Structure formats: structure tokens, C-alpha cells
Amino acid sequence: MVSVASYNIRKSLGTDRKRQPGRILEVISEIDADIVALQEVDRRFGARNSSLAVENILKDTAYEVVRFGVRPTSLGWHGNTILIRKGIEVLAHKRLTLPALEPRGAVMADLRVNGRTLRVIGMHLGLVGLWRVRQARAVLQHLEALEEKLPTVFMGDLNQWTTEGGCLAQFAQTHNIIAPGPSFHSSRPVLPLDRIITDLDLDVIEAGVHMSEKARRASDHLPVWARLRIRDAPTAAPSFPPQAAP
């Protein structure tokens, strides 16, 4: 069994207009997932500084960071990064560039969890429907190009307001789409923007939206989570080379 979560942290800016990274880390600890995909980790302009400090993550949580940033002060790739519970092994990680009118990307990591190998993709798709479809196709094409096929989970803010069609139709052809529930706006959630998608090698045991009082204030998105069972997952070596740390 493995637990996963996705959280758009809005650069640690809460609904009270206060930027409190410590509060974000407390919410992440509340979720207590094995793997957490984060969106909007870094500032958008300038040096793209991360809103979360690595030393605080290591000191104040049970997590380590899979670093994708190309700048020394960034954790993410176009704002996306992955946190893993201490003890999980990173076999390989990779940045994915997505087609877009505005900068967009996704991140990929092959992880060994409890003796099983799991591929995790974190993403934040665009605001325009046509480009979301293209981005979904690009992610799937990146995946298809890999020689070694592994149980895979996609997580992130898809910016898809509807429950079907659009970019979801691209994933639905070969994957299971989990809709944990409305996650935006955190003060009164009505839109299911944040999704978890799995391939057929994963069974979904349960899923939901984390709705603590702290989560309602920490960001304009609520975290979504799922507990998964890996079916006879292989433990083969990663099929893409690790990228060097910046």
C-alpha cells in the first residue's frame, strides 16, 4: 500500500494573504502521505526562489525533496516538485517540458517504496482548454517513449473544471481518473481542479480531499489524496537516466 497526495500551495500564500511556509508544511504533515506532488512551489518571476526552504522541510517534516529546479534557489520545474517520505529511494528523476502559451512543465520520478517500484508524475496544466489537451498528450507521449513500463500515478492541478472531456479524455483512454472531490476554492470548494490519475497496475483503495481548518487557510487549493495498492509491480532499473542536480 502507498499513499499519495497532490497540493497546489500557491507559493505558500494563504487565503488570509499571509505567506506562511510553515503553515504549508503543517498541512503536508497532517495529510501524512508517502509521496506528495506540489505545484506552485517557486516564485514565478526573478530568481524563481522556492517558497519552501529545504532545511525546514527536512527539520520540520518527515519528508525529503526530489529537487527539479534548474536554479540554486528553486525546488521545482515550472513550480512542480515531489516530496517523499524519508526512506523512500529515488531511482531516477526527470523534468518534462510541455507545450504552452505560458511556461508549463511536469516532473517525473521513479521511486522504490516498500520494495516496489512506482513512477510518479507531478503536473500543473494550463488555463486554456486547447493547451491542456496538448499538454496531456505530451505527458502521455513522454511516458510512452520510456522503454520500461512501471505502475504510474499522475497528480496535480489540471485546471479542468468539468468532470469529463477536455484533457481528462486524453488520460481516460488508458488510465483511471480519480476525482477525490472539489478542492477549489479552499474557503468554499466547488471545483474539482486537482486530480489523481493511475494506470491499470494500481488499485485505488480510497481517496478524498483534506479539509482541515489549517488547509482552508494555507492556500486557495485543498490537498487531494489517495491510498493505492500496487499490483505485482516490477522492481526493474529506471528507464531514463537521473538528471544532475543544479
Side-chain angles (χ1 to χ4, degrees):
M1 189 87 68
V2 59
S3 55
V4 301
S6 179
Y7 192 13
N8 183 331
I9 68 171
R10 197 194 184 192
K11 308 169 191 68
S12 300
L13 185 66
T15 54
D16 54 7
R17 305 302 300 174
K18 296 179 180 178
R19 197 178 304 277
Q20 295 186 358
R23 183 167 55 184
I24 291 291
L25 296 180
E26 289 173 359
V27 173
I28 291 171
S29 294
E30 287 179 351
I31 304 166
D32 196 32
D34 297 315
I35 303 162
V36 184
L38 298 179
Q39 303 88 51
E40 295 195 26
V41 172
D42 303 326
R43 303 289 186 94
R44 189 167 185 177
F45 302 106
R48 309 284 178 90
N49 294 335
S50 174
S51 67
L52 299 178
V54 174
E55 56 268 27
N56 290 340
I57 295 173
L58 295 175
K59 177 174 64 75
D60 298 334
T61 75
Y63 295 94
E64 298 177 346
V65 185
V66 183
R67 294 193 64 163
F68 295 94
V70 296
R71 295 176 173 85
T73 56
S74 300
L75 291 185
W77 172 242
H78 295 298
N80 298 283
T81 198
I82 296 172
L83 303 184
I84 56 174
R85 193 182 298 281
K86 293 173 183 175
I88 292 176
E89 181 183 0
V90 181
L91 302 177
H93 65 286
K94 185 176 184 179
R95 298 181 291 267
L96 308 180
T97 299
L98 304 182
L101 288 172
E102 55 181 328
R104 292 284 172 178
V107 293
M108 178 187 299
D110 285 357
L111 307 171
R112 184 157 290 143
V113 189
N114 300 325
R116 300 290 189 115
T117 305
L118 178 69
R119 179 166 289 148
V120 177
I121 297 175
M123 55 191 174
H124 188 184
L125 302 189
L127 297 173
V128 179
L130 175 63
W131 285 100
R132 283 198 299 272
V133 170
R134 293 175 178 174
Q135 289 157 10
R137 287 175 181 164
V139 170
L140 291 168
Q141 288 168 0
H142 279 296
L143 193 64
E144 186 63 28
L146 299 176
E147 293 182 6
E148 186 66 38
K149 308 306 178 186
L150 295 172
T152 302
V153 56
F154 307 77
M155 298 186 282
D157 178 0
L158 271 58
N159 270 316
Q160 181 76 42
W161 293 27
T162 59
T163 56
E164 57 186 19
C167 68
L168 296 177
Q170 304 301 312
F171 293 108
Q173 295 178 36
T174 51
H175 294 76
N176 293 322
I177 298 175
I178 306 170
S183 56
F184 183 87
H185 188 280
S186 59
S187 60
R188 190 175 181 182
V190 294
L191 298 175
L193 300 186
D194 303 277
R195 306 294 181 105
I196 298 173
I197 300 168
T198 71
D199 66 15
L200 302 182
D201 291 321
L202 294 167
D203 293 322
V204 180
I205 307 305
E206 56 181 334
V209 180
H210 184 73
M211 289 192 262
S212 71
E213 286 303 313
K214 194 164 291 181
R216 290 181 183 275
R217 297 191 304 271
S219 171
D220 58 352
H221 285 249
L222 293 169
V224 297
W225 57 269
R227 293 185 178 87
L228 311 173
R229 179 182 294 118
I230 304 174
R231 298 183 191 169
D232 299 324
T235 56
S239 57
F240 56 90
Q243 289 178 324

